[in-house]
Amino acid sequence: MRRASSRREPTIALINVVFLMLVFFMVAGTIAPPLSREVALVRADEMEGRAPPDALVIFADGRMEFRGRQVASAAAYLGGLTEAERQAVRLVPDRDLPAARLVALAAEMRAAGAGAVMIVTERGLR
């Protein structure tokens, strides 16, 4: 006579893992003290944004501008920076600038001696 083998349901292990994760996040979430009810946070949804003063602005048509002056090329832009400023270069691209142009410009910056190329973007919290 053959004994019927019992197979465990695989979802039981999944339920156990999910339950343990739930308990972990409940405990971890209570570690941080809540903000005081008397504190009113700053509202930034209507603030006027502008490019950082040390960033290269790139327009949709590919023109580049730094501190209000036109820049001819990536090499010309980097030529006017100090060695310390070249370590972290910030680019502010127009949202309509083609991505291929932005990637090519970042590659030009790296080839011309830029340490890190950072792209400054708008952050939406809505």
Side-chain angles (χ1 to χ4, degrees):
M1 201 163 171
R2 192 168 202 198
R3 220 167 117 186
S5 65
S6 64
R7 284 186 52 181
R8 292 187 64 186
E9 188 67 33
T11 57
I12 299 291
L14 180 63
I15 291 170
N16 289 339
V17 169
V18 171
F19 177 72
L20 288 173
M21 288 175 56
L22 175 67
V23 170
F24 171 77
F25 287 116
M26 285 174 44
V27 170
T30 59
I31 292 174
L35 288 175
S36 172
R37 294 184 189 265
E38 298 172 11
V39 175
L41 298 177
V42 175
R43 292 189 54 119
D45 57 347
E46 294 181 13
M47 291 179 68
E48 179 182 334
R50 62 182 178 90
D54 61 342
L56 177 68
V57 179
I58 308 156
F59 295 94
D61 59 1
R63 289 180 297 121
M64 295 182 284
E65 189 176 281
F66 180 65
R67 294 183 179 156
R69 295 185 179 158
Q70 293 288 332
V71 176
S73 66
Y77 167 67
L78 289 173
L81 299 179
T82 65
E83 187 63 35
E85 291 173 327
R86 285 186 208 150
Q87 296 307 312
V89 177
R90 288 175 177 77
L91 305 179
V92 181
D94 187 280
R95 73 176 62 212
D96 294 327
L97 179 72
R101 175 67 183 126
L102 181 60
V103 170
L105 182 62
E108 286 177 41
M109 294 277 183
R110 293 285 294 167
V117 178
M118 294 181 272
I119 299 172
V120 180
T121 62
E122 178 181 53
R123 183 176 189 178
L125 297 176
R126 295 178 193 180

